[in-house]
Amino acid sequence: MAGDGYIQGKLKDGVSSKDALTSDAPLLLLIPGSSIQVGQWARKIVINDNINTGSMFDYIRRARKEGFEVIVLNNNENYGIKVPGVERAIRGSESPEKHVSYVWENFVRPSKAKQVLIVAHSYGGVCTVNLVQNHFEEVRERVAAIAFTDSVHGFGNPFRKFPGAETWFKWFQTHAVNWARSSKPLDEPVDGRQYSSPLNSSGDCPYLSAGHESHDYTTVSAKESVFRFLKEKLAANA
Protein backbone atom coordinates (compact mmCIF):
# COMPACT_ATOMS: atom_id res chain seq x y z
CA MET A 1 0.00 0.00 0.00
CA ALA A 2 2.37 2.70 -1.22
CA GLY A 3 3.05 5.09 -4.05
CA ASP A 4 4.82 2.93 -6.60
CA GLY A 5 5.09 -0.53 -5.11
CA TYR A 6 2.33 -2.31 -3.30
CA ILE A 7 -0.64 -0.14 -4.22
CA GLN A 8 -0.05 2.24 -7.13
CA GLY A 9 -2.85 4.59 -6.19
CA LYS A 10 -5.62 2.16 -5.29
CA LEU A 11 -6.38 -0.50 -2.72
CA LYS A 12 -5.87 -4.09 -3.76
CA ASP A 13 -8.09 -7.02 -2.83
CA GLY A 14 -7.18 -8.52 0.52
CA VAL A 15 -6.04 -5.32 2.23
CA SER A 16 -9.43 -3.67 2.55
CA SER A 17 -13.11 -4.43 2.58
CA LYS A 18 -14.91 -3.84 -0.70
CA ASP A 19 -16.51 -0.51 0.19
CA ALA A 20 -13.79 0.86 2.47
CA LEU A 21 -13.46 4.10 0.51
CA THR A 22 -17.05 4.62 -0.62
CA SER A 23 -19.13 3.72 2.44
CA ASP A 24 -19.98 6.19 5.20
CA ALA A 25 -19.83 3.35 7.76
CA PRO A 26 -17.09 3.50 10.44
CA LEU A 27 -13.68 2.70 8.95
CA LEU A 28 -11.32 0.53 11.01
CA LEU A 29 -7.56 0.73 10.41
CA LEU A 30 -5.53 -2.28 11.59
CA ILE A 31 -1.86 -1.42 12.18
CA PRO A 32 0.57 -4.21 13.14
CA GLY A 33 3.90 -3.97 14.95
CA SER A 34 7.34 -4.15 13.37
CA SER A 35 8.80 -6.99 11.26
CA ILE A 36 5.35 -8.48 10.64
CA GLN A 37 3.89 -9.46 7.30
CA VAL A 38 0.70 -7.82 6.15
CA GLY A 39 -2.39 -9.32 7.80
CA GLN A 40 -0.59 -10.69 10.88
CA TRP A 41 -0.53 -9.60 14.51
CA ALA A 42 2.14 -12.06 15.65
CA ARG A 43 4.19 -14.56 13.65
CA LYS A 44 4.84 -16.52 16.85
CA ILE A 45 1.13 -17.24 17.25
CA VAL A 46 0.68 -18.13 13.57
CA ILE A 47 3.45 -20.71 13.89
CA ASN A 48 2.77 -22.08 17.37
CA ASP A 49 -1.00 -21.67 17.74
CA ASN A 50 -3.10 -21.13 14.63
CA ILE A 51 -3.36 -18.73 11.73
CA ASN A 52 -6.75 -17.33 12.74
CA THR A 53 -5.46 -16.30 16.15
CA GLY A 54 -2.14 -14.90 14.98
CA SER A 55 -3.53 -13.16 11.91
CA MET A 56 -6.03 -10.32 11.63
CA PHE A 57 -8.79 -12.61 10.36
CA ASP A 58 -10.73 -12.62 13.64
CA TYR A 59 -10.57 -8.83 13.90
CA ILE A 60 -11.69 -8.40 10.30
CA ARG A 61 -14.61 -10.82 10.74
CA ARG A 62 -15.71 -9.10 13.93
CA ALA A 63 -15.38 -5.66 12.36
CA ARG A 64 -17.53 -6.69 9.41
CA LYS A 65 -20.10 -8.17 11.78
CA GLU A 66 -20.26 -4.82 13.56
CA GLY A 67 -20.81 -3.04 10.26
CA PHE A 68 -17.31 -1.52 9.98
CA GLU A 69 -15.30 -1.16 6.80
CA VAL A 70 -11.65 -2.22 7.16
CA ILE A 71 -8.20 -1.31 5.85
CA VAL A 72 -5.25 -3.53 6.78
CA LEU A 73 -2.03 -1.56 6.70
CA ASN A 74 1.22 -2.97 5.29
CA ASN A 75 3.61 -0.71 7.14
CA ASN A 76 6.56 -3.13 7.17
CA GLU A 77 7.00 -3.41 3.41
CA ASN A 78 9.38 -0.50 2.90
CA TYR A 79 11.70 -1.72 0.13
CA GLY A 80 11.14 -3.33 -3.23
CA ILE A 81 13.57 -4.90 -5.70
CA LYS A 82 13.78 -2.74 -8.80
CA VAL A 83 16.38 -4.94 -10.46
CA PRO A 84 17.82 -8.25 -9.23
CA GLY A 85 19.97 -7.67 -6.16
CA VAL A 86 19.10 -3.96 -5.83
CA GLU A 87 16.62 -2.82 -3.20
CA ARG A 88 14.88 0.50 -3.57
CA ALA A 89 12.75 2.30 -0.97
CA ILE A 90 9.05 2.23 -1.87
CA ARG A 91 7.84 5.76 -2.43
CA GLY A 92 5.38 6.71 0.27
CA SER A 93 6.40 3.73 2.39
CA GLU A 94 10.06 4.39 3.10
CA SER A 95 9.37 3.70 6.78
CA PRO A 96 6.45 2.30 8.81
CA GLU A 97 5.55 5.82 9.95
CA LYS A 98 5.55 7.20 6.40
CA HIS A 99 3.41 4.30 5.22
CA VAL A 100 0.70 5.04 7.78
CA SER A 101 0.72 8.73 6.84
CA TYR A 102 0.55 7.81 3.14
CA VAL A 103 -2.49 5.62 3.69
CA TRP A 104 -4.19 8.39 5.65
CA GLU A 105 -3.46 11.06 3.04
CA ASN A 106 -4.35 8.99 -0.03
CA PHE A 107 -7.12 6.66 1.15
CA VAL A 108 -8.58 7.62 4.51
CA ARG A 109 -8.73 11.36 3.84
CA PRO A 110 -10.81 11.07 0.63
CA SER A 111 -12.93 8.17 1.94
CA LYS A 112 -16.60 8.68 2.79
CA ALA A 113 -16.22 7.40 6.36
CA LYS A 114 -17.49 9.90 8.90
CA GLN A 115 -15.77 8.12 11.79
CA VAL A 116 -12.42 6.32 11.80
CA LEU A 117 -11.23 3.74 14.32
CA ILE A 118 -7.68 2.48 14.86
CA VAL A 119 -6.30 -0.70 16.41
CA ALA A 120 -2.50 -0.52 16.67
CA HIS A 121 -0.21 -3.19 18.13
CA SER A 122 3.32 -2.68 19.45
CA TYR A 123 5.31 -0.38 17.09
CA GLY A 124 2.07 0.30 15.26
CA GLY A 125 1.35 2.57 18.21
CA VAL A 126 4.44 4.64 17.41
CA CYS A 127 3.20 4.98 13.82
CA THR A 128 -0.20 6.06 15.12
CA VAL A 129 1.27 8.73 17.40
CA ASN A 130 3.30 9.99 14.44
CA LEU A 131 0.09 10.18 12.41
CA VAL A 132 -1.61 12.24 15.10
CA GLN A 133 1.40 14.52 15.38
CA ASN A 134 1.41 15.28 11.63
CA HIS A 135 -2.34 15.34 10.97
CA PHE A 136 -3.82 16.32 14.30
CA GLU A 137 -6.69 18.51 13.10
CA GLU A 138 -7.89 15.83 10.69
CA VAL A 139 -7.45 13.08 13.25
CA ARG A 140 -9.30 15.02 15.93
CA GLU A 141 -12.17 15.60 13.52
CA ARG A 142 -12.57 12.01 12.30
CA VAL A 143 -10.96 9.48 14.66
CA ALA A 144 -13.43 8.34 17.29
CA ALA A 145 -11.13 5.91 19.10
CA ILE A 146 -7.66 4.37 19.17
CA ALA A 147 -7.15 0.96 20.76
CA PHE A 148 -3.48 0.28 21.41
CA THR A 149 -2.35 -3.24 22.30
CA ASP A 150 0.93 -3.25 24.19
CA SER A 151 2.02 -0.20 22.22
CA VAL A 152 5.59 1.02 22.70
CA HIS A 153 4.88 4.69 22.03
CA GLY A 154 5.70 7.39 24.56
CA PHE A 155 4.91 10.99 25.48
CA GLY A 156 7.86 12.02 27.64
CA ASN A 157 9.34 15.46 28.21
CA PRO A 158 11.23 15.73 24.87
CA PHE A 159 8.00 15.00 22.98
CA ARG A 160 6.09 17.64 24.92
CA LYS A 161 8.38 20.33 23.50
CA PHE A 162 6.72 19.97 20.09
CA PRO A 163 4.17 22.72 19.33
CA GLY A 164 0.70 21.57 20.31
CA ALA A 165 1.94 18.47 22.14
CA GLU A 166 -0.09 19.18 25.27
CA THR A 167 -3.24 19.38 23.18
CA TRP A 168 -2.45 16.02 21.58
CA PHE A 169 -1.72 14.58 25.00
CA LYS A 170 -5.12 15.64 26.35
CA TRP A 171 -6.85 14.26 23.26
CA PHE A 172 -5.20 10.85 23.71
CA GLN A 173 -6.36 10.73 27.32
CA THR A 174 -9.99 10.79 26.20
CA HIS A 175 -9.82 8.88 22.90
CA ALA A 176 -7.30 6.08 23.44
CA VAL A 177 -6.68 3.06 25.66
CA ASN A 178 -3.59 0.86 25.74
CA TRP A 179 -4.20 -2.79 26.66
CA ALA A 180 -0.81 -3.84 28.04
CA ARG A 181 0.68 -7.22 28.86
CA SER A 182 0.00 -8.05 32.50
CA SER A 183 -0.71 -10.87 34.92
CA LYS A 184 -3.71 -8.89 36.17
CA PRO A 185 -7.25 -9.74 34.99
CA LEU A 186 -8.44 -8.31 31.70
CA ASP A 187 -9.34 -4.59 31.86
CA GLU A 188 -7.87 -4.01 35.31
CA PRO A 189 -5.96 -0.69 35.40
CA VAL A 190 -2.16 -0.90 35.29
CA ASP A 191 0.62 1.70 35.59
CA GLY A 192 1.49 2.79 32.06
CA ARG A 193 4.91 4.08 33.07
CA GLN A 194 6.26 0.54 33.37
CA TYR A 195 5.37 -0.39 29.79
CA SER A 196 6.02 2.50 27.43
CA SER A 197 9.08 4.05 25.90
CA PRO A 198 11.66 5.56 28.27
CA LEU A 199 10.41 8.89 26.92
CA ASN A 200 7.07 8.29 28.55
CA SER A 201 7.28 10.08 31.88
CA SER A 202 3.60 9.56 32.65
CA GLY A 203 0.71 7.55 31.25
CA ASP A 204 -0.54 9.34 28.13
CA CYS A 205 -3.82 7.42 28.04
CA PRO A 206 -5.52 4.86 30.26
CA TYR A 207 -3.56 1.60 30.52
CA LEU A 208 -5.53 -1.58 31.13
CA SER A 209 -4.46 -5.18 31.44
CA ALA A 210 -4.78 -7.21 28.25
CA GLY A 211 -5.29 -10.28 30.40
CA HIS A 212 -2.12 -11.93 29.15
CA GLU A 213 1.56 -11.67 30.10
CA SER A 214 2.88 -12.23 26.57
CA HIS A 215 3.35 -9.21 24.30
CA ASP A 216 2.39 -11.28 21.24
CA TYR A 217 -0.98 -12.33 22.66
CA THR A 218 -2.23 -8.95 23.90
CA THR A 219 -4.22 -8.09 20.75
CA VAL A 220 -5.90 -11.48 20.77
CA SER A 221 -6.60 -11.55 24.50
CA ALA A 222 -8.11 -8.06 24.59
CA LYS A 223 -10.27 -8.39 21.46
CA GLU A 224 -13.67 -8.30 23.16
CA SER A 225 -12.66 -5.32 25.30
CA VAL A 226 -11.22 -3.54 22.26
CA PHE A 227 -14.44 -3.84 20.27
CA ARG A 228 -16.55 -2.82 23.25
CA PHE A 229 -14.41 0.31 23.61
CA LEU A 230 -14.63 1.12 19.89
CA LYS A 231 -18.41 0.81 19.91
CA GLU A 232 -18.75 2.92 23.04
CA LYS A 233 -16.68 5.70 21.52
CA LEU A 234 -18.64 5.55 18.27
CA ALA A 235 -21.88 5.91 20.20
CA ALA A 236 -20.50 8.81 22.21
CA ASN A 237 -19.47 10.62 19.00
CA ALA A 238 -22.65 9.90 17.07
Side-chain angles (χ1 to χ4, degrees):
M1 195 178 295
D4 57 1
Y6 185 71
I7 258 300
Q8 295 189 355
K10 62 181 180 179
L11 294 173
K12 289 186 177 181
D13 293 340
V15 298
S16 75
S17 51
K18 179 184 175 185
D19 299 317
L21 305 185
T22 57
S23 172
D24 62 1
L27 176 60
L28 176 62
L29 309 182
L30 300 179
I31 308 177
S34 60
S35 302
I36 296 295
Q37 292 184 341
V38 61
Q40 292 184 4
W41 290 124
R43 184 183 302 107
K44 176 181 177 180
I45 303 177
V46 172
I47 295 173
N48 298 330
D49 197 339
N50 65 73
I51 190 170
N52 284 307
T53 303
S55 73
M56 295 179 177
F57 290 155
D58 285 347
Y59 266 76
I60 294 170
R61 293 189 190 101
R62 178 61 179 272
R64 300 299 290 145
K65 182 179 179 181
E66 298 292 347
F68 304 163
E69 299 296 336
V70 181
I71 295 179
V72 175
L73 278 77
N74 187 27
N75 40 301
N76 293 306
E77 186 174 356
N78 309 125
Y79 292 89
I81 299 176
K82 186 67 174 180
V83 296
V86 178
E87 286 191 333
R88 184 172 66 93
I90 298 174
R91 181 169 53 87
S93 188
E94 295 90 344
S95 69
E97 294 89 341
K98 288 184 178 181
H99 173 83
V100 173
S101 290
Y102 181 93
V103 171
W104 179 275
E105 294 164 4
N106 290 274
F107 302 109
V108 179
R109 178 184 290 163
S111 74
K112 303 298 183 182
K114 294 181 174 64
Q115 297 194 82
V116 178
L117 307 166
I118 298 174
V119 176
H121 176 59
S122 190
Y123 196 80
V126 175
C127 299
T128 301
V129 169
N130 181 76
L131 174 69
V132 176
Q133 178 182 342
N134 292 311
H135 301 83
F136 180 62
E137 292 304 321
E138 289 182 73
V139 169
R140 181 165 59 176
E141 180 69 24
R142 296 183 71 182
V143 174
I146 299 173
F148 294 116
T149 57
D150 220 28
S151 172
V152 296
H153 70 274
F155 276 107
N157 291 328
F159 181 88
R160 291 171 189 257
K161 294 180 181 179
F162 287 106
E166 286 299 325
T167 303
W168 308 333
F169 182 82
K170 292 177 181 178
W171 184 86
F172 270 103
Q173 289 178 320
T174 57
H175 288 76
V177 170
N178 192 359
W179 277 270
R181 64 192 183 279
S182 174
S183 60
K184 293 183 177 182
L186 179 64
D187 293 330
E188 185 168 326
V190 295
D191 184 357
R193 290 173 295 183
Q194 64 181 306
Y195 297 99
S196 298
S197 159
L199 296 179
N200 190 16
S201 59
S202 62
D204 53 274
C205 66
Y207 277 63
L208 303 177
S209 170
H212 206 289
E213 294 183 78
S214 171
H215 173 74
D216 295 302
Y217 281 84
T218 51
T219 313
V220 177
S221 179
K223 185 182 73 172
E224 292 303 318
S225 296
V226 165
F227 276 96
R228 182 168 60 251
F229 169 69
L230 298 179
K231 291 192 293 181
E232 288 173 354
K233 297 303 289 185
L234 281 174
N237 283 278

